[in-house]
Amino acid sequence: MKVAKGSAMNTDNDVQQTLCPIARALAVVGDRWTLMILRELTLGSRRFDDIQAQTGMSSQILAARLKRLEEQGVVERRRYNIIPARYEYHSTEKGLDLDSVLLMLRSWGLKWCVYPEGGERATHLRRENGGEEIGAEFPIGPDGKAFRFTSLQREMSSGFASEREQRRLAFQTMKEGRRARRQA
Amino acid sequence: MKVAKGSAMNTDNDVQQTLCPIARALAVVGDRWTLMILRELTLGSRRFDDIQAQTGMSSQILAARLKRLEEQGVVERRRYNIIPARYEYHSTEKGLDLDSVLLMLRSWGLKWCVYPEGGERATHLRRENGGEEIGAEFPIGPDGKAFRFTSLQREMSSGFASEREQRRLAFQTMKEGRRARRQA
């Protein structure tokens, strides 16, 4: 491996050279925004504005991250409107395989991050209808394999639903304000 | 939950308010650099310079990330030299619980990230001496719980050892060059 003098591993090229699978994986998904986009996709957000409203990213960062995820084969765009061209975003198989990472982060967050007082869990996950709830414990299926969100029952708590509704409204208000200022 | 107008979830304060454990966990560990620091700690790097050499972070970013991880209780500093004060960095229990996230990323990287031709796996992980190797499959222990690196046999491949040695040397050369220029 060639390492540029003094640069160690801070360029994309260097990451492509490293043998470490953790470093290589992090080069694709290792930032908060990228994993937040994937979280939104598991929650069924498909459109640019919905993802932006729920993650609070700037449209520039969101567009750049989506482009990168598409190039890396983690996400795919599907056109749902011809003119004007509009797209929905979906996880590929490669992207769905990151559910295990998200589920691990969920476990860790439930175990170690202090919640607002009386804060309800954001979603209730169950293996089957009425089955045992999956909390902070290690999220594996009965076959000893990783869960995917799609194979689980996922029910949003009313607290999280209202948090999301507020985000949606705040985002809408902001967009309308901008539009009004542009037209004024 | 209060959402500042138009800001959605892009401030630390907003993250402290959200009910989503994934978002909360990402606020602590959701960037490439943070997880790279934790990877280094699992590999036994304890000192600032060693971590910097192997991750290629600037010393400013590394210092900021370590400080944040310490404040969050993920990492602790241990003084190993009185004067001048020098510290080693160790994962806490909260930090060691992120091994499961790193192991998931390792699996995903082995499965989905294309390797340099003939590239050997960075490390060989085994449950026990001479036991079956853990590859891209889901990394769970025989008790159905998450592995930690400390409970696994981990052998560095010669390719990865030499990659790391080159980084160490490149970093050393850079530091010596800087020192010489300062003294000139």
Side-chain angles (χ1 to χ4, degrees):
Chain A
M1 191 197 65
K2 281 184 231 155
V3 178
K5 238 192 239 168
S7 80
M9 200 161 63
N10 43 18
T11 69
D12 270 4
N13 186 44
D14 286 332
V15 168
Q16 277 157 31
Q17 294 294 324
T18 184
L19 292 176
C20 176
I22 298 173
R24 297 173 80 86
L26 287 173
V28 182
V29 296
D31 74 3
R32 168 145 70 110
W33 294 134
T34 299
L35 288 166
M36 284 294 276
I37 292 170
L38 294 172
R39 184 202 72 172
E40 277 308 300
L41 295 180
T42 73
L43 285 165
S45 295
R46 295 277 161 244
R47 302 193 176 174
F48 193 95
D49 274 12
D50 295 334
I51 299 171
Q52 195 187 351
Q54 295 302 331
T55 58
M57 302 166 72
S58 74
S59 53
Q60 291 82 352
I61 295 184
L62 177 55
R65 290 296 192 286
L66 282 170
K67 185 158 174 268
R68 186 172 165 77
L69 287 172
E70 218 189 323
E71 284 164 2
Q72 298 276 356
V74 174
V75 157
E76 64 182 17
R77 276 196 311 174
R78 297 183 197 158
R79 194 159 180 164
Y80 71 88
N81 199 44
I82 308 290
I83 300 169
R86 294 203 194 285
Y87 300 91
E88 289 189 337
Y89 297 89
H90 293 258
S91 285
T92 61
E93 273 299 302
K94 185 174 176 180
L96 289 172
D97 264 358
L98 285 164
D99 276 8
S100 55
V101 174
L102 290 175
L103 281 160
M104 278 298 164
L105 284 168
R106 176 181 183 270
S107 293
W108 190 83
L110 284 172
K111 181 168 178 188
W112 288 106
C113 297
V114 181
Y115 270 67
E117 214 177 318
E120 199 183 353
R121 191 171 284 186
T123 61
H124 300 281
L125 282 184
R126 289 187 172 80
R127 285 157 210 226
E128 60 219 29
N129 212 336
E132 210 189 330
E133 198 172 334
I134 299 170
E137 75 276 17
F138 190 62
I140 50 159
D143 56 354
K145 291 200 175 150
F147 282 120
R148 284 190 176 176
F149 283 106
T150 46
S151 65
L152 292 166
Q153 267 241 314
R154 194 181 199 186
E155 192 195 332
M156 203 175 281
S157 70
S158 60
F160 192 47
S162 109
E163 175 186 325
R164 293 175 66 80
E165 178 62 10
Q166 282 180 60
R167 282 196 217 296
R168 199 186 61 72
L169 290 173
F171 181 75
Q172 204 175 30
T173 306
M174 180 204 66
K175 274 201 100 171
E176 278 162 12
R178 277 201 190 153
R179 200 175 297 131
R181 281 194 300 280
R182 264 202 307 275
Q183 288 169 350
Chain B
M1 191 197 64
K2 280 183 231 154
V3 178
K5 240 191 240 167
S7 80
M9 201 160 63
N10 43 18
T11 70
D12 270 4
N13 186 45
D14 284 333
V15 169
Q16 276 157 33
Q17 294 293 322
T18 184
L19 292 176
C20 176
I22 299 172
R24 297 173 79 87
L26 288 173
V28 182
V29 296
D31 74 2
R32 167 145 70 111
W33 294 134
T34 298
L35 288 166
M36 284 295 276
I37 292 171
L38 294 172
R39 184 203 71 173
E40 277 310 299
L41 296 179
T42 74
L43 285 165
S45 295
R46 295 277 163 243
R47 301 191 177 175
F48 193 94
D49 275 12
D50 295 335
I51 300 171
Q52 196 187 353
Q54 295 302 330
T55 58
M57 301 167 72
S58 74
S59 53
Q60 290 82 353
I61 295 184
L62 177 54
R65 290 296 191 285
L66 282 170
K67 185 159 176 265
R68 186 172 165 77
L69 287 172
E70 217 189 323
E71 285 164 0
Q72 298 277 356
V74 173
V75 158
E76 63 182 17
R77 277 197 310 175
R78 297 184 197 158
R79 193 159 181 163
Y80 71 89
N81 198 47
I82 308 289
I83 300 170
R86 294 204 193 286
Y87 299 91
E88 289 189 339
Y89 297 89
H90 293 259
S91 285
T92 61
E93 273 298 302
K94 185 173 176 180
L96 290 171
D97 263 358
L98 284 165
D99 276 9
S100 55
V101 174
L102 290 174
L103 281 160
M104 278 298 164
L105 284 167
R106 176 182 184 270
S107 293
W108 191 81
L110 284 171
K111 181 168 177 188
W112 289 104
C113 298
V114 181
Y115 271 68
E117 216 177 317
E120 199 182 354
R121 189 172 286 185
T123 61
H124 299 281
L125 282 183
R126 287 187 174 79
R127 285 157 211 226
E128 61 219 32
N129 213 335
E132 208 188 333
E133 198 173 332
I134 299 170
E137 74 275 17
F138 190 62
I140 49 160
D143 56 355
K145 291 200 176 151
F147 281 121
R148 283 189 178 179
F149 283 107
T150 46
S151 66
L152 292 166
Q153 268 241 312
R154 195 182 198 185
E155 193 195 332
M156 203 176 281
S157 70
S158 59
F160 191 47
S162 109
E163 176 186 323
R164 292 176 65 81
E165 178 62 10
Q166 282 181 59
R167 282 194 216 296
R168 199 185 62 73
L169 290 172
F171 181 75
Q172 204 175 29
T173 305
M174 181 204 67
K175 273 202 100 172
E176 278 162 12
R178 278 201 190 155
R179 200 176 297 133
R181 282 195 298 279
R182 265 203 306 274
Q183 288 167 350

